[in-house]
């Protein structure tokens, strides 16, 4: 059983790495165009905080080294994303991003670690950090749900980030299975939720992937959807699907 759980954990780490790397094309676009355009930095700020909390959780709880290693990689990747964002963002967005990074990724993280170190001990400490990480995980997994309304309205999956939904589905399922094997309820709840949300997104994709979209509705919504974080512009999505 221990060997099985370790193997599942390794597979989960590989899938998590692919999930962390899924926005690479977005940031390559930012570098090529020399601008962040209408992309938002908040998803990457929250993912950095989420990765940092799970890394701390994995380091403080015995037997969770796989959780610590993959989220340590997440810290590295998200830090690169945010560095690129700060370089190419307009002045107001750069200031907003810097403030949020300072508040959430530095201030909140430092306060969470300090409080748990001073006020809690042993399992209480790891459970508290796990609960914080679980809450942020659920938010992260739910982020593509905003596009589901547009999929139903336009009867088109052009604006649904399939790869992101697919890797959320895989990541949630594998880590939920791993959590069951190692009897970690804190790890199981957010990833089980992520698995179910991923299923819902993929079912919707299957329902509408061959449907004929309404061009009038799409043209009216296209500009608004380019403001959605974690969802690349339509020309980028089309190029990925070709």
């Amino acid at each position: 059983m221990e060997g099985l759980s370790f193997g599942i954990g390794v597979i989960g780490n590989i899938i998590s790495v692919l999930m962390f790397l899924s926005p690479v094309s977005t940031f390559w676009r930012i570098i090529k165009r020399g601008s962040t355009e209408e992309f938002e930095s908040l998803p990457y700020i929250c993912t950095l905080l989420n990765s940092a909390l799970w890394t701390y959780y994995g380091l403080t709880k015995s037997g969770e080294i796989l959780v610590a290693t993959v989220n340590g990689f997440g810290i590295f990747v998200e830090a690169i994303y945010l560095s690129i964002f700060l370089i190419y963002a307009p002045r107001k967005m750069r200031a907003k991003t810097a403030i949020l990074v300072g508040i959430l990724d530095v201030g909140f993280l430092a306060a969470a670690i300090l409080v748990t170190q001073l006020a809690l001990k042993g399992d209480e400490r790891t459970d508290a950090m796990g609960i914080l990480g679980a809450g942020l995980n659920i938010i992260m997994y739910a982020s593509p749900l905003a596009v589901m309304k547009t999929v139903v309205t336009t009867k088109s999956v052009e604006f649904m980030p399939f790869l992101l939904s697919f890797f959320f589905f895989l990541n949630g399922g594998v880590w939920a299975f791993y959590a069951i094997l190692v009897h970690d309820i804190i790890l199981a709840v957010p990833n089980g939720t992520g698995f179910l949300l991923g299923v819902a997104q993929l079912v919707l994709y299957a329902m509408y992937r061959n449907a004929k979209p309404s061009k009038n509705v799409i043209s009216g919504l296209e500009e608004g959807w380019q403001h959605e974080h974690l969802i690349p512009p339509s020309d980028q999505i089309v190029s990925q699907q070709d």
Side-chain angles (χ1 to χ4, degrees), residues 114-121 124-125:
L114 186 62
V115 169
T116 54
Q117 285 289 337
L118 296 178
L120 302 174
K121 296 181 180 180
E124 291 180 348
R125 179 185 301 158

Side-chain angles (χ1 to χ4, degrees), residues 75-242:
I75 292 174
F76 174 74
V77 173
E78 299 302 325
I80 292 176
Y81 292 158
L82 287 172
S83 297
I84 294 173
F85 204 95
L86 288 169
I87 292 171
Y88 293 103
R91 182 178 298 177
K92 289 184 178 180
M93 177 58 74
R94 185 184 301 124
K96 174 185 174 181
T97 299
I99 291 171
L100 288 175
V101 168
I103 293 174
L104 295 176
D105 295 330
V106 179
F108 181 82
L109 178 63
I113 293 175
L114 186 62
V115 169
T116 54
Q117 285 289 337
L118 296 178
L120 302 174
K121 296 181 180 180
D123 290 341
E124 291 180 348
R125 179 185 301 158
T126 55
D127 288 348
M129 295 304 296
I131 290 171
L132 283 174
L136 285 170
N137 241 21
I138 292 174
I139 293 173
M140 180 187 74
Y141 279 126
S143 60
L145 288 176
V147 78
M148 294 179 75
K149 179 180 178 181
T150 297
V151 173
V152 175
T153 302
T154 65
K155 300 186 185 304
S156 169
V157 295
E158 182 179 2
F159 297 98
M160 173 171 274
F162 173 77
L163 287 179
L164 186 63
S165 298
F166 180 67
F167 282 120
F168 276 2
F169 161 76
L170 286 181
N171 192 68
V174 170
W175 281 111
F177 184 40
Y178 171 82
I180 292 172
L181 291 176
V182 299
H183 308 291
D184 190 335
I185 187 64
I186 292 177
L187 196 61
V189 170
N191 285 291
T193 302
F195 174 75
L196 294 177
L197 291 172
V199 169
Q201 293 161 39
L202 293 179
V203 167
L204 192 67
Y205 187 91
M207 289 172 59
Y208 289 101
R209 69 186 184 90
N210 292 322
K212 294 183 179 180
S214 171
K215 293 184 179 179
N216 292 332
V217 175
I218 290 178
S219 61
L221 292 176
E222 181 174 4
E223 181 178 354
W225 275 114
Q226 290 183 356
H227 289 260
E228 286 293 333
H229 54 260
L230 282 182
I231 302 175
S234 59
D235 59 337
Q236 182 181 345
I237 297 176
V238 171
S239 65
Q240 290 175 348
Q241 290 177 344
D242 290 340

Side-chain angles (χ1 to χ4, degrees), residues 19-105:
M19 185 184 70
F20 283 129
L21 294 177
S22 62
V24 165
S25 59
T26 295
F27 283 89
W28 181 241
R29 172 192 173 96
I30 289 173
I31 293 172
K32 287 197 299 182
R33 299 200 174 187
S35 171
T36 58
E37 300 176 284
E38 300 298 328
F39 290 108
E40 291 287 339
S41 59
L42 186 60
Y44 311 104
I45 294 171
C46 291
T47 303
L48 176 58
L49 176 59
N50 182 66
S51 296
L53 288 172
W54 280 113
T55 299
Y56 179 63
Y57 173 80
L59 291 173
T60 55
K61 183 168 183 178
S62 176
E64 297 290 5
I65 189 63
L66 291 174
V67 175
T69 53
V70 71
N71 282 285
F73 175 78
I75 292 174
F76 174 74
V77 173
E78 299 302 325
I80 292 176
Y81 292 158
L82 287 172
S83 297
I84 294 173
F85 204 95
L86 288 169
I87 292 171
Y88 293 103
R91 182 178 298 177
K92 289 184 178 180
M93 177 58 74
R94 185 184 301 124
K96 174 185 174 181
T97 299
I99 291 171
L100 288 175
V101 168
I103 293 174
L104 295 176
D105 295 330

